[in-house]
Amino acid sequence: MKFFTRTLLLCLALGLAYADPVPQHDTAADDGALPDRCKGIEFDAITPDEKGNTFFFKDGHLWKGFHGPAQLSNESFKELDDLHHIGHVDAAFRMHDEENKDDHDHIYFFLDDKVFSYYNHSLEEGYPKDIAEDFPGVPTHLDAAVECPKGECMANSVLFFKGDDVHIYDIATKTVKTKMWPLPTCTAAFRWLEHYYCFHGHNFTRFHPVTGEVTAGYPKDARNYFMKCSDFGHGGDGKIPKCSEVKLDAITTDDSGKTYFFSGTMYMRLDTHRDGLHGFPITRAWQEVTNGVNAVFSYADKIYLIKDDQVYIYKSGAHYTLIAGYPKSLMEELGVEGHVDAAFVCPNEHTVHVIQGNRMRTVDLTATPRVVGTDVPLPLSDIDASLCGDDGVKVFKGSQYFRYDSPMILAMGRIAVEPQPITSAMMGCQD
């Protein structure tokens, strides 16, 4: 939440019109000697580093980020050439293993039968190694690789691609399961903001990292999305709105620490700021919720989305899954009726605070049936969204927010605290 106020306007400006990444950047330079990805390159590998910078590899060259000309790979990762004398990368990924800090965020490069581990662009001691030593059961001469954290896959995993096979490597158990998915032959793979992309030729295809299911409408030309090239791109120059125009419908942080905000029919992950920020349709993650939300809160590995008089409950897992029997009515699920403006659950608690107009009602989520506990007036009304965290309760109203140390102080207050206006320094909006 601490970076929410720095990023919301950037999110609104860059993301809310699109369903796929559209980084804003310069056209790649072509000086006659360096490869130009705007001419339709088939990438060898794509990976972010520990700072979130994305590298695109082709033969002995790479591109840093979504703009700029190609550079020699050995200028950034010199040992790939010095030690192995190979001018290309077969596959690469950034390790996601928060339980093992020694490996977390390291970049792994695969060249023929060898693997290189880098951190902060420095080769780790003892590398290169045989692939079989570090990743037993994974084949050599790979085509592509991509990390898949627990919550998106069933466990912290790496997806290795070779030909028609996908080798799913469990990081903790060091076991491999091999599957055949209906994908093109991937020469590179990339995870970006919880979405998975298989690159083939100058195109890419989005796929589900657990089932391999291909999303409708693919493949698409990478030049329209991952770089800006003349005669390519699906437009949409996002204008930064005025700070006085900021408005969101809901915000929540789930038990795994993922923070989402909702505006209109779009949502955005706020805790992915390292790798970029981008808006996606709510239906991409919660496909049954088709017309935006009124309120959202998280509790016990579930996320509750409220729209009109309906409550949709999704269980966390590899991806959010609607619980059987839902949606249900507000009265049946929470014991309240009428329009809900906002709702929140504080960390390690089991009470949801439901804000309706200028009143706040509490409901014990462990009780059956659900009934309203307390019903108290609030010192303000027309609240748009609310969130409870370690730093207290924040309620959002238009382009301002109000902070209270606890739900009790919010409930007992008879005079609204001084509002904190959203400013350009906080969020990059226009004053």
Side-chain angles (χ1 to χ4, degrees):
M1 181 63 191
K2 63 183 179 181
F3 54 86
F4 164 75
T5 54
R6 298 197 301 269
T7 59
L8 175 58
L9 262 293
L10 174 64
C11 300
L12 291 171
L14 297 182
L16 295 186
Y18 307 114
D20 281 292
V22 190
Q24 300 299 309
H25 36 62
D26 303 324
T27 302
D30 182 4
D31 62 5
L34 298 175
D36 180 1
R37 53 186 168 179
C38 288
K39 291 184 177 179
I41 280 177
E42 183 173 78
F43 295 111
D44 294 330
I46 304 171
T47 183
D49 67 7
E50 67 280 355
K51 296 181 177 63
N53 303 309
T54 301
F55 293 85
F56 297 78
F57 292 85
K58 178 64 177 177
D59 295 328
H61 294 85
L62 63 77
W63 290 262
K64 293 182 179 180
F66 301 108
H67 64 91
Q71 304 175 26
L72 290 172
S73 301
N74 58 18
E75 293 178 358
S76 297
F77 306 98
K78 66 184 185 67
E79 295 87 356
L80 295 180
D81 219 33
D82 291 347
L83 298 181
H84 213 54
H85 307 295
I86 290 180
H88 73 281
V89 174
D90 290 334
F93 74 92
R94 183 181 66 192
M95 175 68 78
H96 185 97
D97 187 9
E98 294 181 338
E99 297 176 0
N100 185 353
K101 298 299 183 181
D102 290 338
D103 290 334
H104 183 62
D105 271 352
H106 289 214
I107 307 175
Y108 285 83
F109 294 102
F110 297 82
L111 290 79
D112 294 340
D113 60 351
K114 300 295 183 182
V115 57
F116 295 69
S117 175
Y118 279 83
Y119 188 77
N120 197 24
H121 290 230
S122 297
L123 185 68
E124 292 291 296
E125 185 177 353
Y127 285 87
K129 296 180 180 179
D130 289 340
I131 292 175
E133 181 179 351
D134 247 11
F135 298 91
V138 173
T140 60
H141 300 275
L142 293 161
D143 292 325
V146 64
E147 73 278 11
C148 189
K150 182 179 180 180
E152 297 170 30
C153 280
M154 298 303 178
N156 284 333
S157 307
V158 183
L159 309 181
F160 292 99
F161 298 80
K162 182 171 182 178
D164 295 331
D165 294 330
V166 181
H167 306 272
I168 303 168
Y169 180 84
D170 187 307
I171 294 171
T173 64
K174 297 184 181 298
T175 57
V176 178
K177 294 181 179 178
T178 301
K179 298 184 178 181
M180 292 185 64
W181 286 349
L183 287 172
T185 299
C186 307
T187 62
F190 184 38
R191 171 181 175 264
W192 195 75
L193 304 185
E194 296 186 284
H195 295 79
Y196 291 78
Y197 302 96
C198 162
F199 284 75
H200 46 98
H202 55 76
N203 295 319
F204 69 97
T205 294
R206 186 161 69 87
F207 66 93
H208 193 292
V210 176
T211 65
E213 181 182 359
V214 172
T215 304
Y218 289 84
K220 296 180 180 180
D221 195 314
R223 291 169 290 185
N224 286 324
Y225 297 90
F226 290 93
M227 62 210 76
K228 188 174 181 180
C229 304
S230 300
D231 302 323
F232 290 91
H234 57 17
D237 293 327
K239 294 183 178 180
I240 299 176
K242 295 180 179 179
C243 294
S244 59
E245 298 173 346
V246 176
K247 188 179 186 301
L248 63 156
D249 297 328
I251 183 170
T252 189
T253 299
D254 68 14
D255 289 349
S256 65
K258 299 176 183 178
T259 298
Y260 300 91
F261 91 81
F262 300 79
S263 180
T265 59
M266 309 297 291
Y267 81 93
M268 180 168 297
R269 276 277 304 277
L270 297 180
D271 58 301
T272 55
H273 64 289
R274 178 179 65 169
D275 294 326
L277 295 161
H278 188 79
F280 296 98
I282 293 172
T283 52
R284 178 170 288 192
W286 303 281
Q287 61 181 0
E288 294 82 6
V289 184
T290 57
N291 295 303
V293 297
N294 300 127
V296 178
F297 65 91
S298 301
Y299 171 70
D301 293 323
K302 300 179 182 67
I303 187 167
Y304 293 63
L305 285 77
I306 300 173
K307 177 62 177 178
D308 299 329
D309 63 348
Q310 299 290 300
V311 180
Y312 300 77
I313 303 181
Y314 290 81
K315 184 173 178 58
S316 300
H319 293 272
Y320 284 110
T321 304
L322 185 66
I323 292 178
Y326 285 85
K328 292 183 179 180
S329 70
L330 268 168
M331 176 57 68
E332 183 180 3
E333 183 59 37
L334 298 178
V336 300
E337 57 184 348
H339 180 79
V340 174
D341 295 307
F344 64 88
V345 175
C346 293
N348 304 314
E349 295 188 5
H350 53 78
T351 298
V352 59
H353 302 262
V354 179
I355 298 175
Q356 297 178 284
N358 65 345
R359 304 195 71 82
M360 184 168 70
R361 299 172 168 88
T362 61
V363 179
D364 186 345
L365 294 172
T366 65
T368 303
R370 305 278 172 77
V371 295
V372 173
T374 61
D375 184 345
V376 296
L378 295 176
L380 67 166
S381 59
D382 300 320
I383 293 170
D384 295 324
S386 58
L387 182 70
C388 185
D390 294 335
D391 57 347
V393 179
K394 291 181 174 67
V395 291
F396 298 87
K397 183 176 179 178
S399 59
Q400 299 175 322
Y401 65 94
F402 305 76
R403 195 191 73 81
Y404 297 85
D405 288 337
S406 68
M408 180 180 295
I409 293 176
L410 169 62
M412 294 177 62
R414 292 297 173 261
I415 300 176
V417 299
E418 189 70 22
Q420 301 183 50
I422 295 170
T423 66
S424 59
M426 295 161 57
M427 298 167 57
C429 51
Q430 298 182 53
D431 289 327

XYZ file of all heavy atoms in Angstrom, residues 241-309:
552
model
N -4.260 12.005 -16.045
C -5.408 12.786 -15.577
C -5.000 13.786 -14.505
O -3.908 13.725 -13.930
C -6.338 11.708 -15.005
C -5.422 10.606 -14.613
C -4.300 10.614 -15.599
N -5.875 14.694 -14.235
C -5.658 15.651 -13.157
C -5.831 14.953 -11.818
O -6.622 14.027 -11.689
C -6.639 16.809 -13.274
C -6.446 17.669 -14.529
C -7.454 18.797 -14.564
C -7.253 19.669 -15.802
N -8.238 20.762 -15.856
N -5.108 15.424 -10.822
C -5.221 14.826 -9.497
C -6.646 14.931 -8.969
O -7.111 14.062 -8.233
C -4.256 15.498 -8.535
S -2.510 15.216 -8.931
N -7.331 15.963 -9.358
C -8.706 16.162 -8.892
C -9.684 15.195 -9.539
O -10.865 15.156 -9.149
C -9.152 17.599 -9.168
O -9.077 17.883 -10.561
N -9.218 14.401 -10.524
C -10.095 13.467 -11.231
C -9.906 12.019 -10.809
O -10.555 11.123 -11.339
C -9.864 13.584 -12.740
C -10.197 14.963 -13.297
C -9.793 15.120 -14.755
O -9.021 14.270 -15.260
O -10.246 16.098 -15.376
N -9.030 11.787 -9.847
C -8.752 10.415 -9.424
C -9.965 9.813 -8.733
O -10.594 10.430 -7.882
C -7.556 10.378 -8.462
C -7.331 8.955 -7.939
C -6.314 10.889 -9.160
N -10.295 8.571 -9.112
C -11.398 7.856 -8.465
C -11.199 6.360 -8.647
O -10.913 5.899 -9.735
C -12.754 8.257 -9.045
C -13.944 7.697 -8.276
C -15.255 8.146 -8.893
C -16.441 7.709 -8.040
N -16.507 6.250 -7.861
N -11.323 5.601 -7.560
C -11.269 4.154 -7.664
C -12.513 3.568 -7.023
O -13.197 4.221 -6.236
C -10.008 3.588 -7.016
C -9.813 3.779 -5.516
C -8.866 2.687 -4.996
C -9.166 5.121 -5.228
N -12.820 2.328 -7.393
C -14.022 1.670 -6.895
C -13.746 0.756 -5.715
O -14.613 0.570 -4.859
C -14.673 0.845 -8.018
C -15.148 1.696 -9.175
O -15.557 2.854 -8.925
O -15.090 1.224 -10.322
N -12.550 0.166 -5.662
C -12.241 -0.774 -4.579
C -10.741 -1.000 -4.541
O -10.032 -0.785 -5.535
C -12.968 -2.099 -4.788
N -10.262 -1.460 -3.383
C -8.857 -1.819 -3.224
C -8.763 -2.874 -2.138
O -9.520 -2.842 -1.160
C -7.999 -0.587 -2.886
C -6.517 -0.975 -2.800
C -8.458 0.076 -1.596
C -5.589 0.230 -2.717
N -7.874 -3.851 -2.325
C -7.717 -4.903 -1.321
C -6.325 -5.492 -1.397
O -5.667 -5.432 -2.443
C -8.763 -6.012 -1.507
O -8.720 -6.908 -0.390
C -8.511 -6.807 -2.781
N -5.864 -6.059 -0.285
C -4.634 -6.839 -0.233
C -4.979 -8.225 0.260
O -5.587 -8.377 1.326
C -3.606 -6.193 0.714
O -3.286 -4.877 0.238
C -2.334 -7.021 0.784
N -4.619 -9.262 -0.521
C -4.982 -10.618 -0.110
C -3.938 -11.188 0.841
O -2.939 -10.540 1.180
C -5.219 -11.522 -1.324
C -3.953 -11.816 -2.122
O -2.841 -11.548 -1.625
O -4.080 -12.333 -3.250
N -4.158 -12.418 1.292
C -3.298 -13.018 2.304
C -1.876 -13.260 1.813
O -0.954 -13.404 2.615
C -3.896 -14.342 2.797
C -5.142 -14.130 3.639
O -5.397 -12.966 4.008
O -5.860 -15.109 3.911
N -1.683 -13.329 0.506
C -0.341 -13.540 -0.032
C 0.397 -12.233 -0.275
O 1.534 -12.238 -0.746
C -0.416 -14.341 -1.338
O -1.081 -13.590 -2.342
N -0.250 -11.106 0.037
C 0.392 -9.809 -0.129
C 0.145 -9.137 -1.455
O 0.707 -8.065 -1.723
N -0.697 -9.707 -2.296
C -1.020 -9.073 -3.568
C -2.024 -7.946 -3.327
O -3.060 -8.163 -2.705
C -1.625 -10.082 -4.545
C -0.715 -11.240 -4.902
C -1.449 -12.231 -5.790
C -0.595 -13.440 -6.113
N -1.329 -14.434 -6.929
N -1.708 -6.762 -3.822
C -2.592 -5.611 -3.662
C -3.208 -5.262 -5.011
O -2.491 -5.067 -5.991
C -1.831 -4.404 -3.108
O -1.318 -4.718 -1.817
C -2.755 -3.193 -2.968
N -4.517 -5.196 -5.041
C -5.254 -4.892 -6.258
C -6.065 -3.618 -6.066
O -6.633 -3.402 -4.995
C -6.248 -6.010 -6.594
C -5.651 -7.372 -6.832
C -5.493 -8.274 -5.788
C -5.276 -7.773 -8.111
C -4.965 -9.546 -6.009
C -4.755 -9.046 -8.340
C -4.602 -9.922 -7.285
O -4.085 -11.174 -7.506
N -6.149 -2.807 -7.099
C -7.158 -1.754 -7.096
C -8.038 -1.931 -8.318
O -7.635 -2.481 -9.342
C -6.537 -0.354 -7.015
C -6.243 0.292 -8.340
C -7.242 0.934 -9.056
C -4.966 0.293 -8.858
C -6.979 1.542 -10.268
C -4.687 0.889 -10.074
C -5.697 1.520 -10.783
N -9.268 -1.475 -8.181
C -10.287 -1.653 -9.209
C -10.840 -0.286 -9.596
O -11.132 0.548 -8.728
C -11.433 -2.531 -8.694
C -10.992 -3.915 -8.289
C -10.367 -4.130 -7.065
C -11.198 -4.996 -9.120
C -9.958 -5.401 -6.682
C -10.787 -6.274 -8.747
C -10.164 -6.469 -7.529
N -10.997 -0.069 -10.900
C -11.578 1.164 -11.408
C -12.343 0.836 -12.676
O -11.765 0.338 -13.642
C -10.486 2.198 -11.699
O -11.047 3.394 -12.197
N -13.644 1.086 -12.655
C -14.461 0.725 -13.802
C -14.432 -0.771 -14.033
O -14.610 -1.553 -13.101
N -14.153 -1.183 -15.251
C -14.103 -2.610 -15.573
C -12.672 -3.155 -15.550
O -12.426 -4.263 -16.010
C -14.708 -2.865 -16.965
O -13.969 -2.122 -17.940
C -16.178 -2.458 -17.004
N -11.728 -2.365 -14.992
C -10.325 -2.753 -15.006
C -9.795 -2.945 -13.589
O -10.339 -2.417 -12.620
C -9.481 -1.681 -15.711
C -9.994 -1.262 -17.076
S -9.986 -2.601 -18.296
C -8.224 -2.821 -18.523
N -8.710 -3.727 -13.499
C -8.005 -3.869 -12.228
C -6.511 -3.772 -12.481
O -6.040 -3.881 -13.619
C -8.323 -5.209 -11.562
C -7.532 -6.383 -12.099
C -6.333 -6.769 -11.497
C -7.959 -7.091 -13.222
C -5.592 -7.839 -12.005
C -7.220 -8.155 -13.724
C -6.035 -8.527 -13.115
O -5.303 -9.568 -13.607
N -5.750 -3.571 -11.404
C -4.309 -3.515 -11.513
C -3.658 -4.060 -10.258
O -4.140 -3.829 -9.152
C -3.825 -2.091 -11.754
C -2.313 -1.977 -11.882
S -1.773 -0.382 -12.498
C -2.517 -0.402 -14.119
N -2.581 -4.826 -10.446
C -1.741 -5.260 -9.333
C -0.800 -4.115 -8.981
O -0.050 -3.635 -9.821
C -0.915 -6.477 -9.730
C -1.602 -7.816 -9.608
C -1.563 -8.387 -8.207
N -0.207 -8.523 -7.666
C 0.594 -9.560 -7.922
N 0.176 -10.551 -8.687
N 1.793 -9.616 -7.398
N -0.821 -3.688 -7.722
C 0.041 -2.592 -7.299
C 1.385 -3.057 -6.758
O 2.330 -2.276 -6.698
C -0.667 -1.757 -6.233
C -1.946 -1.050 -6.685
C -2.543 -0.268 -5.536
C -1.672 -0.141 -7.860
N 1.490 -4.317 -6.352
C 2.738 -4.794 -5.771
C 3.708 -5.302 -6.831
O 4.756 -5.861 -6.494
C 2.465 -5.900 -4.750
C 1.725 -7.075 -5.354
O 0.611 -6.870 -5.871
O 2.249 -8.193 -5.329
N 3.382 -5.101 -8.095
C 4.267 -5.533 -9.179
C 5.051 -4.360 -9.750
O 5.507 -4.406 -10.890
C 3.441 -6.181 -10.307
O 2.433 -5.255 -10.731
C 2.792 -7.470 -9.838
N 5.215 -3.289 -8.948
C 5.829 -2.079 -9.469
C 7.241 -2.302 -9.973
O 7.705 -1.590 -10.865
C 5.836 -0.996 -8.387
C 6.652 -1.327 -7.188
N 6.276 -2.293 -6.284
C 7.836 -0.837 -6.743
C 7.195 -2.374 -5.334
N 8.143 -1.508 -5.589
N 7.948 -3.310 -9.450
C 9.315 -3.556 -9.904
C 9.341 -3.912 -11.382
O 10.237 -3.484 -12.125
C 9.954 -4.682 -9.085
C 11.363 -5.021 -9.552
C 11.996 -6.104 -8.718
N 11.308 -7.385 -8.841
C 11.791 -8.523 -8.372
N 12.949 -8.529 -7.719
N 11.124 -9.649 -8.512
N 8.380 -4.709 -11.826
C 8.366 -5.177 -13.216
C 7.442 -4.349 -14.102
O 7.308 -4.643 -15.282
C 7.931 -6.643 -13.266
C 8.947 -7.550 -12.604
O 10.157 -7.252 -12.697
O 8.547 -8.539 -11.984
N 6.807 -3.347 -13.546
C 5.913 -2.522 -14.339
C 4.494 -2.575 -13.812
O 4.141 -3.417 -12.996
N 3.685 -1.657 -14.283
C 2.293 -1.558 -13.855
C 1.412 -1.490 -15.090
O 1.744 -0.822 -16.064
C 2.085 -0.303 -13.000
C 2.838 -0.310 -11.664
C 2.965 1.095 -11.109
C 2.132 -1.207 -10.669
N 0.295 -2.180 -15.021
C -0.558 -2.240 -16.206
C -1.954 -2.675 -15.796
O -2.114 -3.524 -14.922
C 0.018 -3.228 -17.217
C -0.694 -3.213 -18.538
N -0.461 -2.248 -19.488
C -1.635 -4.012 -19.056
C -1.214 -2.478 -20.537
N -1.948 -3.549 -20.305
N -2.954 -2.085 -16.408
C -4.334 -2.448 -16.124
C -4.817 -3.560 -17.027
O -4.428 -3.652 -18.194
N -5.661 -4.430 -16.468
C -6.257 -5.519 -17.228
C -7.755 -5.563 -16.922
O -8.197 -5.125 -15.861
C -5.633 -6.859 -16.840
C -4.172 -6.966 -17.160
C -3.222 -6.744 -16.173
C -3.743 -7.269 -18.440
C -1.863 -6.834 -16.459
C -2.386 -7.366 -18.736
C -1.454 -7.148 -17.743
N -8.559 -6.114 -17.832
C -9.989 -6.269 -17.545
C -10.213 -7.153 -16.323
O -9.513 -8.163 -16.139
C -10.541 -6.928 -18.817
C -9.541 -6.624 -19.883
C -8.209 -6.577 -19.200
N -11.147 -6.790 -15.485
C -11.466 -7.602 -14.308
C -11.806 -9.022 -14.717
O -11.460 -9.990 -14.031
C -12.633 -6.958 -13.520
C -12.173 -5.627 -12.917
C -13.148 -7.887 -12.425
C -13.295 -4.828 -12.282
N -12.444 -9.179 -15.859
C -12.854 -10.510 -16.313
C -11.671 -11.414 -16.644
O -11.836 -12.625 -16.762
C -13.760 -10.402 -17.549
O -13.123 -9.575 -18.542
C -15.108 -9.796 -17.187
N -10.480 -10.851 -16.779
C -9.320 -11.699 -17.057
C -8.983 -12.552 -15.841
O -8.590 -13.710 -15.976
C -8.117 -10.860 -17.476
C -6.873 -11.694 -17.716
C -5.753 -10.913 -18.359
N -6.035 -10.626 -19.760
C -5.132 -10.162 -20.616
N -3.896 -9.925 -20.207
N -5.452 -9.923 -21.876
N -9.130 -11.995 -14.640
C -8.832 -12.742 -13.422
C -10.084 -13.320 -12.781
O -10.043 -14.387 -12.175
C -8.100 -11.850 -12.417
N -11.198 -12.613 -12.900
C -12.456 -13.027 -12.279
C -13.530 -12.946 -13.372
O -14.283 -11.980 -13.465
C -12.782 -12.090 -11.111
C -11.674 -12.045 -10.091
C -11.420 -12.962 -9.120
C -10.652 -11.041 -9.959
N -10.314 -12.588 -8.382
C -9.819 -11.420 -8.869
C -10.356 -9.855 -10.645
C -8.728 -10.654 -8.463
C -9.257 -9.096 -10.244
C -8.471 -9.504 -9.162
N -13.563 -13.980 -14.208
C -14.285 -13.882 -15.476
C -15.787 -13.727 -15.324
O -16.459 -13.245 -16.231
C -13.977 -15.106 -16.337
C -14.378 -16.441 -15.736
C -14.016 -17.603 -16.645
O -13.459 -17.403 -17.722
N -14.313 -18.814 -16.214
N -16.343 -14.105 -14.175
C -17.793 -13.997 -14.010
C -18.249 -12.582 -13.629
O -19.441 -12.279 -13.663
C -18.277 -14.982 -12.937
C -18.110 -16.449 -13.307
C -16.707 -16.970 -13.060
O -15.867 -16.226 -12.493
O -16.438 -18.140 -13.420
N -17.321 -11.718 -13.263
C -17.673 -10.361 -12.829
C -17.484 -9.431 -14.024
O -16.383 -8.986 -14.325
C -16.801 -9.921 -11.636
C -17.234 -8.551 -11.134
C -16.888 -10.947 -10.511
N -18.578 -9.126 -14.689
C -18.494 -8.519 -16.020
C -18.690 -7.011 -16.061
O -18.382 -6.391 -17.072
C -19.547 -9.158 -16.946
O -20.852 -9.010 -16.365
C -19.246 -10.637 -17.157
N -19.175 -6.408 -15.012
C -19.500 -4.976 -15.098
C -18.919 -4.162 -13.950
O -19.582 -3.296 -13.394
C -21.023 -4.792 -15.148
C -21.633 -5.370 -16.399
O -21.253 -4.994 -17.514
N -22.565 -6.290 -16.238
N -17.670 -4.450 -13.589
C -17.049 -3.708 -12.512
C -17.502 -4.188 -11.147
O -18.267 -5.147 -11.015
N -17.018 -3.524 -10.104
C -17.328 -3.919 -8.732
C -17.715 -2.691 -7.927
O -17.360 -1.558 -8.265
C -16.129 -4.615 -8.060
C -15.770 -5.906 -8.782
C -14.923 -3.686 -7.993
N -18.441 -2.941 -6.827
C -18.746 -1.877 -5.869
C -17.787 -1.901 -4.690
O -17.438 -0.852 -4.139
C -20.180 -2.006 -5.347
C -21.222 -1.914 -6.436
O -22.069 -2.774 -6.568
N -21.146 -0.873 -7.258
N -17.393 -3.098 -4.279
C -16.502 -3.246 -3.133
C -15.788 -4.586 -3.239
O -16.306 -5.530 -3.857
C -17.277 -3.159 -1.829
N -14.610 -4.671 -2.622
C -13.825 -5.902 -2.625
C -13.114 -6.018 -1.280
O -12.626 -5.025 -0.745
C -12.769 -5.905 -3.759
C -11.930 -7.178 -3.704
C -13.432 -5.774 -5.127
N -13.066 -7.232 -0.723
C -12.229 -7.460 0.456
C -11.687 -8.878 0.411
O -12.182 -9.736 -0.331
C -12.998 -7.204 1.762
C -14.146 -8.156 2.027
C -13.960 -9.335 2.743
C -15.433 -7.849 1.585
C -15.014 -10.200 3.003
C -16.491 -8.709 1.836
C -16.289 -9.884 2.549
N -10.629 -9.127 1.190
C -9.961 -10.425 1.206
C -10.011 -11.018 2.595
O -9.901 -10.302 3.596
C -8.503 -10.281 0.757
O -8.416 -9.749 -0.545
N -10.170 -12.352 2.643
C -10.228 -13.038 3.934
C -9.965 -14.526 3.732
O -10.561 -15.156 2.850
C -11.609 -12.840 4.579
C -11.841 -13.694 5.802
C -11.160 -13.446 6.997
C -12.739 -14.762 5.762
C -11.369 -14.239 8.118
C -12.952 -15.556 6.874
C -12.264 -15.297 8.048
O -12.470 -16.079 9.161
N -9.068 -15.093 4.523
C -8.822 -16.540 4.586
C -8.587 -17.153 3.208
O -9.274 -18.103 2.805
C -9.981 -17.234 5.283
N -7.610 -16.611 2.483
C -7.250 -17.128 1.158
C -8.383 -17.038 0.158
O -8.455 -17.812 -0.797
C -6.769 -18.582 1.249
C -5.453 -18.699 1.994
O -4.609 -17.803 1.820
O -5.283 -19.666 2.749
N -9.282 -16.105 0.384
C -10.377 -15.879 -0.557
C -10.515 -14.384 -0.794
O -10.151 -13.566 0.045
C -11.701 -16.446 -0.030
C -11.687 -17.940 0.236
C -13.037 -18.400 0.777
C -13.035 -19.883 1.111
N -12.139 -20.174 2.264
N -11.055 -14.041 -1.957
C -11.331 -12.659 -2.269
C -12.821 -12.539 -2.570
O -13.394 -13.359 -3.299
C -10.466 -12.146 -3.437
C -10.657 -10.647 -3.642
C -10.712 -12.920 -4.713
C -9.628 -10.015 -4.564
N -13.459 -11.555 -1.960
C -14.894 -11.327 -2.072
C -15.105 -10.093 -2.949
O -14.636 -9.002 -2.617
C -15.520 -11.059 -0.707
C -15.516 -12.217 0.258
C -14.332 -12.771 0.729
C -16.718 -12.744 0.739
C -14.325 -13.831 1.636
C -16.733 -13.797 1.657
C -15.533 -14.332 2.092
O -15.541 -15.372 3.003
N -15.812 -10.272 -4.065
C -16.134 -9.163 -4.950
C -17.633 -8.904 -4.872
O -18.437 -9.825 -5.086
C -15.730 -9.470 -6.398
C -14.231 -9.397 -6.726
C -13.499 -10.627 -6.219
C -14.000 -9.242 -8.227
N -18.003 -7.694 -4.546
C -19.405 -7.319 -4.397
C -19.806 -6.437 -5.567
O -19.169 -5.417 -5.851
C -19.642 -6.572 -3.070
C -19.252 -7.462 -1.881
C -21.092 -6.123 -2.950
C -19.288 -6.753 -0.547
N -20.860 -6.843 -6.253
C -21.425 -6.065 -7.346
C -22.938 -6.046 -7.191
O -23.584 -7.111 -7.197
C -21.035 -6.665 -8.697
C -21.658 -5.939 -9.895
C -21.193 -4.493 -9.974
C -21.762 -3.801 -11.211
N -21.372 -2.382 -11.278
N -23.496 -4.847 -7.032
C -24.927 -4.692 -6.782
C -25.312 -5.519 -5.563
O -24.706 -5.347 -4.513
C -25.730 -5.059 -8.036
C -25.392 -4.155 -9.221
O -25.059 -2.977 -8.983
O -25.431 -4.630 -10.362
N -26.266 -6.445 -5.684
C -26.685 -7.224 -4.511
C -26.113 -8.631 -4.532
O -26.625 -9.532 -3.876
C -28.213 -7.284 -4.425
C -28.836 -8.005 -5.611
O -28.122 -8.249 -6.606
O -30.035 -8.318 -5.545
